[in-house]
Amino acid sequence: MATYKKILVGLDLSEDSSQVLKKAEELGKAFGAELSLSHVIEPLTFAYGGDIPMDLSEVQEQLQNQAKEQLQKASVPLGIPEERQHVVLGQPASEIHRLAEEISADLVIIGSHGRHGLALLLGSTANGVLHGAGCDVLAVRVHSEE
């Protein structure tokens, strides 16, 4: 069985993130591993392709600040220091790959909603992370409260 020393947890900061954090905490304790948390924000220009004739930098900065606050709150119960809390801008799967390599993670933990049909065809972050990672990836099936 593999042992893990550095675990990168990719969070979307939704309510479902608590399920991913719980699994990461369990594995971190079981292996005595160091946990790092990450959240990737896609640039608004990616989403809108420059179709909006206005400066979105202030909105982007607010999104980043909110994400940092949420990641910090999630880190407190786990005792994760600020230097292992990463809010980055870019395409989620590629940024998680880059960050995992940068911190020498040997496991990436992400949430998976288990989408089917059209949602699956459109692609998912979990699938993107899985198919390009240089280390093990654990996709935690999250169940939304509906």
Side-chain angles (χ1 to χ4, degrees), residues 39-51:
H39 175 70
V40 181
I41 300 172
E42 289 193 74
L44 291 173
T45 53
F46 282 13
Y48 297 104
D51 291 341

Side-chain angles (χ1 to χ4, degrees), residues 10-69:
L11 299 172
D12 65 4
L13 299 178
S14 69
E15 290 182 21
D16 298 332
S17 291
S18 62
Q19 297 170 55
V20 178
L21 280 170
K22 185 173 189 258
K23 183 62 75 175
E25 181 179 24
E26 291 169 3
L27 288 169
K29 284 180 180 173
F31 291 108
E34 176 182 283
L35 294 178
S36 295
L37 302 184
S38 67
H39 175 70
V40 181
I41 300 172
E42 289 193 74
L44 291 173
T45 53
F46 282 13
Y48 297 104
D51 291 341
I52 298 176
M54 59 189 283
D55 183 11
L56 297 172
S57 59
E58 191 173 316
V59 175
Q60 189 79 59
E61 188 175 334
Q62 287 176 345
L63 288 172
Q64 286 177 266
N65 289 337
Q66 288 174 350
K68 285 178 185 175
E69 285 176 26

Side-chain angles (χ1 to χ4, degrees), residues 14-19 113 141-146:
S14 69
E15 290 182 21
D16 298 332
S17 291
S18 62
Q19 297 170 55
H113 294 276
R141 178 63 54 102
V142 294
H143 303 282
S144 297
E145 303 290 323
E146 293 181 22

Side-chain angles (χ1 to χ4, degrees), residues 62-124:
Q62 287 176 345
L63 288 172
Q64 286 177 266
N65 289 337
Q66 288 174 350
K68 285 178 185 175
E69 285 176 26
Q70 287 181 276
L71 209 59
Q72 189 173 33
K73 284 179 187 172
S75 297
V76 170
L78 302 175
I80 298 172
E82 192 173 336
E83 62 268 12
R84 293 199 322 258
Q85 301 169 29
H86 309 276
V87 174
V88 293
L89 201 59
Q91 195 281 327
S94 61
E95 289 302 319
I96 290 171
H97 294 153
R98 182 193 60 74
L99 190 55
E101 188 174 314
E102 184 179 300
I103 68 169
S104 301
D106 40 26
L107 176 65
V108 173
I109 300 177
I110 49 172
S112 174
H113 294 276
R115 292 186 169 86
H116 296 49
L118 186 58
L120 184 61
L121 289 174
L122 294 174
S124 75

